[in-house]
Amino acid sequence: MSNPAHFVSRHLFGPGPCNPYPEATTALTRPLLGHLDPAFIAEMDAVCAGLRTLWGTDNARTLPLSTTGSGGMEAAFVNFVHPGDVVVVGVNGLFGERMVDVATRMGADVVRVDFPWGAPVDPVALTEAHPNPKIIAVVYAETSTGVKSDVAEIGRCKGDALLLVDAVTAIAGIELKADSWGIDIGYAGTQKCLGVAPELAPFTVSERAWSRRVEHPRSWYLDLGMLGGYAGEATGTKRTYHHTAPTGMVVSLGAAIGRILDEGLDNVVARHREAGEALQDALTEAGFELFAQAGSRLPDLTTVKVPEGVDSAAVRGYLLERFNIEIGSGAGAYADSVWRIGLMGPNAVAENVPLIVGALQAAIAATSKG
């Protein structure tokens, strides 16, 4: 059995999960509902409606998939990639790499377009990489590097291709307008700016994309055609049973969405922007060098170069042990040379900035002593 003493309160300032909104946590204490209970179905409908607002879409097929953000990525490819389809993927970080891997496993003819880690995807280079792709896939907010790319411009240049977008670190934290930007297939996760524990993948599909779907995808669990009869596409109390949904998590997500919409989505985005800019300014003033390219930096996830001679892992361990602060290491080739610091969900307030910078400076000083 777990020792309750092992469960401590952490400041989750890494790349996710973040600390959840209090409303999301409180919702988990409510009496559990069955997955076909009319009360739960009403809750699911409300969550789907709220997700449409957060995605900036009128798509009927907008729902929380019972999986993580990575499962949302797999659902996006397995439901829309036919064997032999040309899929153009922009790669400027770890999660673009994963898109390539998943699309390849689905039998796609993948055209990989690489960009430097720390830089955004170039919309022209991406959309002109192939004359007639079926899908163009891109990570809007690259969690591994703290960079955002211009999805709106990619949407304007996509031609007849479907635009598939990873919005895991974007939704409810930075501007997201699926319909006006031309996003056809989008997936996200709950553990970032939505301020909910991991386990759900907010998902949206346009009618244009739906007409081109794989009718019998190779995944039964992630088959959107079957899921649509249970959530998102269906209305009313009569639903087609597919799986036992994580009802407590859906209710928790609903509470977080309510919290966000009560504050006002534009205000939440502005709060993330102000907190992120304050952190980046404070780090720069303290002598740290930022990793992500200026002009394309995410406000909700800041990447910092580890100073020369500093032991990245030792600093992160010290922060966790002495201050109960979690920050993330870098990814891939930058695992030891970059820190990732997130201000997401309820953590996205400027009051956290001096705590982070002061603790980081103290950790470096403590771990650098001979």
Side-chain angles (χ1 to χ4, degrees):
M1 294 179 64
S2 297
N3 183 345
H6 293 167
F7 292 92
V8 295
S9 179
R10 303 287 200 197
H11 299 287
L12 299 179
F13 296 144
C18 70
N19 297 101
Y21 283 111
E23 292 85 350
T25 301
T26 300
L28 292 172
T29 67
R30 296 178 189 170
L32 193 64
L33 294 171
H35 60 286
L36 293 176
D37 187 313
F40 172 69
I41 290 173
E43 187 75 27
M44 175 69 89
D45 287 344
V47 166
C48 293
L51 288 176
R52 290 185 190 98
T53 300
L54 300 186
W55 273 107
T57 186
D58 292 325
N59 292 339
R61 296 176 184 86
T62 302
L63 68 157
L65 299 183
S66 303
T67 183
T68 61
S70 294
M73 173 175 59
E74 187 147 336
F77 285 99
V78 77
N79 281 278
F80 297 97
V81 175
H82 299 80
D85 281 355
V86 174
V87 176
V88 174
V89 181
V91 180
N92 65 333
L94 175 65
F95 292 93
E97 297 268 8
R98 290 188 178 182
M99 281 185 162
V100 169
D101 188 4
V102 174
T104 300
R105 291 173 187 237
M106 301 305 160
D109 178 5
V110 176
V111 177
R112 174 182 176 136
V113 189
D114 283 282
F115 304 91
W117 285 38
V121 167
D122 182 324
V124 174
L126 183 69
T127 55
E128 293 185 355
H130 190 277
N132 189 32
K134 297 293 185 181
I135 293 174
I136 296 174
V138 67
V139 180
Y140 175 25
E142 179 50 80
T143 312
S144 65
T145 63
V147 167
K148 63 179 177 179
S149 293
D150 191 345
V151 170
E153 183 61 23
I154 295 169
R156 281 191 286 271
C157 301
K158 69 178 182 179
D160 189 54
L162 298 176
L163 178 56
L164 189 159
V165 172
D166 175 326
V168 171
T169 307
I171 194 168
I174 61 176
E175 185 180 33
L176 179 60
K177 298 183 181 299
D179 286 355
S180 62
W181 292 357
I183 297 173
D184 294 291
I185 307 155
Y187 62 88
T190 49
Q191 74 275 19
K192 311 283 186 174
C193 300
L194 277 168
V196 181
E199 279 189 48
L200 295 173
F203 201 93
T204 192
V205 180
S206 71
E207 289 297 327
R208 179 171 176 265
W210 190 248
S211 67
R212 305 185 192 181
R213 73 187 185 281
V214 178
E215 292 195 16
H216 299 287
R218 283 175 275 181
S219 172
W220 179 91
Y221 184 70
L222 297 174
D223 183 345
L224 292 174
M226 299 174 71
L227 288 170
Y230 177 60
E233 183 180 355
T235 57
T237 58
K238 186 176 181 180
R239 302 292 170 103
T240 302
Y241 168 71
H242 180 263
H243 70 284
T244 301
T247 58
M249 286 303 304
V250 172
V251 171
S252 180
L253 174 58
I257 292 173
R259 161 70 175 76
I260 291 166
L261 297 182
D262 284 347
E263 182 177 348
L265 182 56
D266 289 344
N267 293 331
V268 171
V269 169
R271 173 164 57 80
H272 280 80
R273 181 178 63 251
E274 291 162 6
E277 290 176 351
L279 175 61
Q280 290 165 14
D281 288 346
L283 286 167
T284 301
E285 289 171 7
F288 292 96
E289 185 179 355
L290 303 182
F291 175 71
Q293 181 176 302
S296 298
R297 292 171 181 152
L298 287 171
D300 49 316
L301 183 61
T302 296
T303 45
V304 189
K305 293 183 180 180
V306 177
E308 188 72 27
V310 171
D311 185 330
S312 171
V315 168
R316 288 187 290 107
Y318 189 93
L319 288 172
L320 201 63
E321 180 181 350
R322 298 297 181 92
F323 297 105
N324 280 318
I325 289 176
E326 177 183 272
I327 66 171
S329 63
Y334 300 95
D336 298 322
S337 59
V338 167
W339 288 315
R340 292 182 293 164
I341 305 175
L343 286 178
M344 305 179 189
N347 293 344
V349 290
E351 289 85 347
N352 283 326
V353 171
L355 170 62
I356 293 170
V357 177
L360 188 59
Q361 290 173 316
I364 292 172
T367 57
S368 298
K369 291 178 180 177

